[in-house]
Amino acid sequence: MPEETVGFIGLGIMGGPMAGNLLRAGYPLVVHNRTRAKEQELVSAGAAAADSPREVASQCDVLITMLPDSPDVEEVYLDSDRGVIAGAKAGQLLIDMSSIAPAVARAVCDAAREAGAEALDAPVSGGDVGAREGTLSIMVGGSDDGFKRAQPLLDVLGETVIHLGPPGAGQTAKACNQILVAVTIEAVSEALVLASKAGVDPDRLIEVLSGGLSGNRVMEVRRRNFLEHDFTPGFKLSLHHKDLGIALRTARELGVYVPTTAIVDQMLAALEAAGDGGLDHSALLKVIEEASGHEI
Ligand code: NAP
């Protein structure tokens, strides 16, 4: 049986099922979420609840966070009164699995080291399905020792767990992942609308293309969402917009040319401005449909 007590903060679409998997694997668990009602299901399954991030930190050996964005991670870790670092202990391992800016991941890592703790950035890919099934891809930045200690626990949450380099390296990999997913959703949307307006059945199109070089996971996993216009998240479009912002800022810092990412970022901005930020990112299809005057 695992002996280390795990703290888990951020029990949303991803964090809730991930925490549940750790509990089922036998880890003693302490949880906290801003909307406290989200703790109830895990408490009923045997977890303890804590009143603040600081309280979680004071009760665990390894702490995991799964929060929306960089400012949330800064608040949860660095708030001098209620934050994780304020309650951190020497020897503790802090793993942030949110998708955030690499620079913020490095700042959290520095603050952890000052408190005698170790921090890893370990963002994920694989979506809500991967979170539930424990099959996520996990991209890790941080020290070798921190990675070795985290590995058994990350193996419960994911199938592909890779250490990419120093603090921030995991977040850089995640930004690359988000470029590929967004651009693929946009390209699939263009293909589906073109086929449909030309009178080719989009469902059959996906079937035939899946057997060739253009076959991809987006088409496989989001097939039903596209075809039925079911944009229940999944992955909220506003979060993907946030991730492309991280990718664009990082590219600008490094002087890297990412024109297609910039265009898809603007499409997501338009959907968000129209009040669609809470829809699944496959709703990018709507932009292409509206501009083409054709619904598939
Ligand atoms: P989500 O459903 O919005 O969950 C975020 C959770 O964090 C919410 O339950 C929220 O509480 C909680 N939270 C926010 N601020 C907090 C604070 N200060 N203290 C305590 N709890 C706080 O988002 P998600 O889809 O799980 O995504 C989480 C992260 O994973 C994001 O960075 C996202 O980009 C990344 N990600 C998501 C997916 C996906 O498919 N969903 C896939 C890969 C990566 P409230 O209930 O109060 O809002």
Side-chain angles (χ1 to χ4, degrees):
M1 283 291 278
E3 282 171 10
E4 291 195 301
T5 297
V6 177
F8 208 115
I9 303 171
L11 306 170
I13 291 179
M14 299 295 286
M18 289 163 70
N21 285 340
L22 291 170
L23 197 60
R24 270 187 295 283
Y27 284 95
L29 194 69
V30 185
V31 295
H32 174 75
N33 192 76
R34 181 174 54 194
T35 304
R36 303 291 309 271
K38 289 191 187 171
E39 297 162 3
Q40 271 322 303
E41 200 179 321
L42 288 155
V43 169
S44 305
D51 288 339
S52 68
R54 179 182 188 151
E55 287 293 312
V56 177
S58 68
Q59 293 175 43
C60 67
D61 305 302
V62 180
L63 183 145
I64 299 178
T65 44
M66 195 49 163
L67 301 160
D69 199 355
S70 303
D72 307 302
V73 170
E74 283 174 321
E75 182 192 325
V76 163
Y77 278 89
L78 305 178
D79 185 277
S80 57
D81 184 26
R82 288 170 51 86
V84 166
I85 298 296
K89 299 174 281 195
Q92 199 164 34
L93 180 63
L94 312 174
I95 311 173
D96 178 42
M97 304 189 76
S98 329
S99 306
I100 61 162
V104 174
R106 287 191 285 270
V108 166
C109 185
D110 289 346
R113 281 192 182 147
E114 272 173 39
E118 183 80 54
L120 299 176
D121 48 300
V124 309
S125 166
D128 52 324
V129 177
R132 282 197 300 279
E133 295 179 354
T135 56
L136 295 166
S137 280
I138 307 181
M139 305 155 235
V140 187
S143 72
D144 289 341
D145 287 348
F147 178 70
K148 278 196 199 99
R149 183 167 164 205
Q151 210 163 9
L153 197 140
L154 297 180
D155 283 341
V156 172
L157 304 174
E159 231 164 46
T160 308
V161 182
I162 307 276
H163 186 204
L164 290 136
Q171 294 298 351
T172 302
K174 175 66 186 179
C176 297
N177 180 79
Q178 293 307 82
I179 291 176
L180 282 170
V181 176
V183 169
T184 306
I185 292 177
E186 197 276 340
V188 169
S189 300
E190 288 186 16
L192 291 177
V193 174
L194 179 64
S196 172
K197 200 165 182 181
V200 173
D201 177 28
D203 196 12
R204 311 279 317 266
L205 180 83
I206 291 181
E207 205 175 324
V208 72
L209 297 189
S210 295
L213 187 57
S214 68
N216 64 74
R217 293 269 293 151
V218 162
M219 223 155 61
E220 189 188 314
V221 175
R222 290 292 191 258
R223 179 177 187 150
R224 200 188 55 76
N225 304 79
F226 289 125
L227 296 176
E228 295 178 11
H229 293 90
D230 176 2
F231 301 128
T232 316
F235 185 54
K236 285 178 211 142
L237 193 150
S238 59
L239 288 177
H240 210 144
H241 188 213
K242 172 257 309 178
D243 290 340
L244 291 195
I246 293 169
L248 289 171
R249 273 194 300 281
T250 308
R252 179 174 284 231
E253 278 162 26
L254 296 169
V256 175
Y257 180 57
V258 287
T260 314
T261 304
I263 292 171
V264 180
D265 174 71
Q266 286 299 296
M267 293 180 181
L268 290 171
L271 285 164
E272 221 183 330
D276 285 342
L279 299 183
D280 186 69
H281 52 174
S282 52
L284 260 173
L285 175 68
K286 292 197 341 170
V287 175
I288 308 300
E289 287 183 327
E290 276 162 28
S292 308
H294 178 81
E295 206 171 282
I296 67 166

